[in-house]
Amino acid sequence: MSISQLFDVDAQLTFYGAYHSNRINVLIHIICVPILVWTFQVLAAPVPAPSFIPSISYKLNDYLIFETNFSVIQATIYMFYYLVLEPTAALLYLPQMTLSLLTATAFSKHAGHITQAALLHVASWIAQFLGHGLAEKRAPALLDNLIGALVLAPFFVHLEILFKLGYKPEMHKRINNEIGKEILRIRKLQANKNRASAKGQ
């Protein structure tokens, strides 16, 4: 994938959507991806930010804490990328990312947070792999584009919900058409591969 495509919302959502066209698999991702983001932030929160980043710590209450840590860096990178892809949707996602970050940092202060977050994280990955294997019947996107899949997943899930609520219907229709074309292209390639394999036997 070219650099220009990395910042093309249609190209990115078409890539990701071609791996997530089954409704059950999409539902699994809608549930599990936010859990994956949150548990990653819980696990990463104790890791301090580089020294050149000012140290800031602010406790709103026992459940909402802001600190400049590795989770802040992760959230900032993700949000900048989403703002480039689709600014309005990114701004609508900002409250969710902020809440995830603040609650994850607060939870990381609790005893046993590593075990609990790790178990949730692993369980969510297993559920997604099952969704791909049993419902989608296709390998997950991360096997073809690791960085793109990991970074794009939360935004894709967010946009799936927005589209269901009527967000930019023309954009939704356009991307769905492109996803359909991409799935057809992939199926043709797989069929040609299977025929070639059968002839070679």
Side-chain angles (χ1 to χ4, degrees):
M1 185 170 289
S2 67
I3 296 297
S4 62
Q5 286 180 312
L6 286 175
F7 299 98
D8 182 330
V9 67
D10 283 26
Q12 288 301 310
L13 293 180
T14 297
F15 160 77
Y16 200 84
Y19 290 81
H20 305 86
S21 59
N22 179 276
R23 291 183 179 181
I24 294 175
N25 192 34
V26 170
L27 179 60
I28 290 171
H29 281 67
I30 287 174
I31 296 169
C32 291
V33 168
I35 295 173
L36 285 170
V37 172
W38 184 80
T39 52
F40 173 83
Q41 290 172 337
V42 171
L43 296 170
V47 180
S51 58
F52 62 83
I53 297 177
S55 179
I56 301 172
S57 180
Y58 184 77
K59 182 177 180 180
L60 284 79
N61 54 49
D62 290 339
Y63 306 100
L64 301 169
I65 298 176
F66 176 84
E67 291 180 353
T68 46
N69 52 34
F70 191 78
S71 294
V72 168
I73 296 174
Q74 172 262 337
T76 301
I77 291 171
Y78 277 38
M79 287 309 306
F80 270 118
Y81 182 50
Y82 300 159
L83 281 165
V84 172
L85 284 178
E86 177 62 22
T88 303
L91 290 174
L92 292 172
Y93 181 63
L94 182 59
Q96 180 181 334
M97 179 63 89
T98 301
L99 183 62
S100 178
L101 180 64
L102 297 180
T103 56
T105 300
F107 190 80
S108 72
K109 307 296 181 184
H110 297 177
H113 74 277
I114 292 178
T115 300
Q116 294 172 41
L119 287 173
L120 267 176
H121 198 81
V122 171
S124 295
W125 273 117
I126 291 172
Q128 288 190 112
F129 276 106
L130 288 174
H132 278 283
L134 300 178
E136 196 77 44
K137 301 188 185 304
R138 188 180 177 197
L142 61 88
L143 297 183
D144 288 339
N145 185 344
L146 178 62
I147 301 300
L150 292 178
V151 176
L152 191 62
F155 200 48
F156 177 83
V157 164
H158 171 65
L159 278 166
E160 276 290 314
I161 296 172
L162 288 184
F163 287 146
K164 293 295 183 184
L165 295 174
Y167 179 79
K168 293 190 176 181
E170 290 184 3
M171 176 186 180
H172 188 202
K173 182 179 179 180
R174 183 178 70 246
I175 290 173
N176 274 341
N177 287 339
E178 291 303 314
I179 289 172
K181 293 176 185 177
E182 179 64 11
I183 291 174
L184 183 60
R185 183 188 70 83
I186 291 168
R187 287 176 178 171
K188 285 182 177 179
L189 287 174
Q190 187 60 48
N192 291 337
K193 183 179 178 181
N194 291 341
R195 281 195 292 269
S197 178
K199 288 179 180 179
Q201 291 179 351

